Amino acid sequence: MKNKRYRVNEIFYSLQGEGYNTGRAAVFVRLSGCNLRCPFCDTDFSSYRELTAQDIRTEVLRLAPSAPLVILTGGEPTLQADEALVNELQQAGYQVAMESNGTHEAPKNLNWLTVSPKCKPAVSRCNELKCLFDETGRVEDYGVEADHYYLQPCDVGDAERNRAIVERCVEYIKQHPRWQLSLQMHKLICIP
């Protein structure tokens, strides 16, 4: 659909702050809306702009014409993102990655898929599985197969509790070395 409109919360240029691509320059296209209500989510979905794939491509090119990577995120990007949007960005020379909760199938033409499941996902395979590690210390991968496995300590907004969560996460990884630690670098160095 040529004139499909996507609800876009924001588009910005920064560094990927977590997981496999930590530290890489990327343009983030944050799509509005999600099918889950996670208590730790820090995204405001009350405002958005409706843009076509061409509008998104134009804004991405304006922000970072030489950045190699565009990350579709949200909310839950699979509720809107489709192969047409991915094609539009790839034709402009970008690799296209997506961060998803995995509850819906992702476009097949993505270059990279990160799944961070909060419940049984529809996705069974991804490039990167990123699971939150919270105060319970339980890790549920829901049987998703991945090339790379990451645990990310959950930020509960309390420094002392966060420190304890990180310590338990490190110990868990030492006992289960399939997993790697993913810290939210963007929060640590105070960038968007």
Side-chain angles (χ1 to χ4, degrees), residues 59-70:
E59 191 160 339
V60 166
L61 283 166
R62 181 186 61 76
L63 285 172
S66 63
L69 182 63
V70 172

Side-chain angles (χ1 to χ4, degrees), residues 8-76:
V8 178
N9 184 272
E10 63 181 328
I11 300 175
F12 62 97
Y13 185 41
S14 190
L15 300 181
Q16 172 59 292
E18 51 198 53
Y20 181 83
N21 287 304
T22 296
R24 281 190 72 187
V27 178
F28 292 81
V29 177
R30 186 179 306 280
L31 298 169
S32 186
C34 187
N35 57 324
L36 300 179
R37 299 283 183 251
C38 300
F40 48 81
C41 183
D42 58 1
T43 302
D44 173 19
F45 299 115
S46 60
S47 64
Y48 58 85
R49 300 176 289 155
E50 290 190 356
L51 301 175
T52 66
Q54 295 81 14
D55 295 335
I56 293 170
R57 174 184 174 161
T58 298
E59 191 160 339
V60 166
L61 283 166
R62 181 186 61 76
L63 285 172
S66 63
L69 182 63
V70 172
I71 299 174
L72 303 175
T73 187
E76 178 47 42

Side-chain angles (χ1 to χ4, degrees), residues 33-187:
C34 187
N35 57 324
L36 300 179
R37 299 283 183 251
C38 300
F40 48 81
C41 183
D42 58 1
T43 302
D44 173 19
F45 299 115
S46 60
S47 64
Y48 58 85
R49 300 176 289 155
E50 290 190 356
L51 301 175
T52 66
Q54 295 81 14
D55 295 335
I56 293 170
R57 174 184 174 161
T58 298
E59 191 160 339
V60 166
L61 283 166
R62 181 186 61 76
L63 285 172
S66 63
L69 182 63
V70 172
I71 299 174
L72 303 175
T73 187
E76 178 47 42
T78 60
L79 298 176
Q80 297 185 68
D82 54 15
E83 290 186 9
L85 175 58
V86 174
N87 279 336
E88 189 72 32
L89 295 167
Q90 288 172 334
Q91 288 172 2
Y94 294 98
Q95 294 175 344
V96 181
M98 178 181 282
E99 297 175 343
S100 171
N101 63 28
T103 55
H104 293 82
E105 289 292 329
K108 301 288 185 223
N109 55 342
L110 288 169
N111 298 101
W112 188 266
L113 177 61
T114 300
V115 173
S116 183
K118 314 302 184 289
C119 59
K120 180 70 176 155
V123 175
S124 61
R125 178 101 179 83
C126 60
N127 300 100
E128 172 182 3
L129 183 68
K130 184 180 64 180
C131 294
L132 290 179
F133 189 93
D134 62 15
E135 292 173 301
T136 68
R138 289 191 306 269
V139 174
E140 178 59 73
D141 66 13
Y142 297 98
V144 176
E145 294 292 322
D147 301 321
H148 306 276
Y149 295 84
Y150 290 92
L151 288 181
Q152 184 167 297
C154 188
D155 181 354
V156 296
D158 176 275
E160 189 173 317
R161 288 171 58 203
N162 284 350
R163 196 171 14 265
I165 291 169
V166 169
E167 288 172 6
R168 288 183 70 198
C169 186
V170 168
E171 287 306 312
Y172 185 94
I173 291 169
K174 287 164 61 177
Q175 294 172 20
H176 304 88
R178 164 177 93 158
W179 296 95
Q180 291 179 260
L181 182 65
S182 174
L183 298 176
Q184 292 180 303
M185 181 202 58
H186 55 291
K187 289 183 178 181

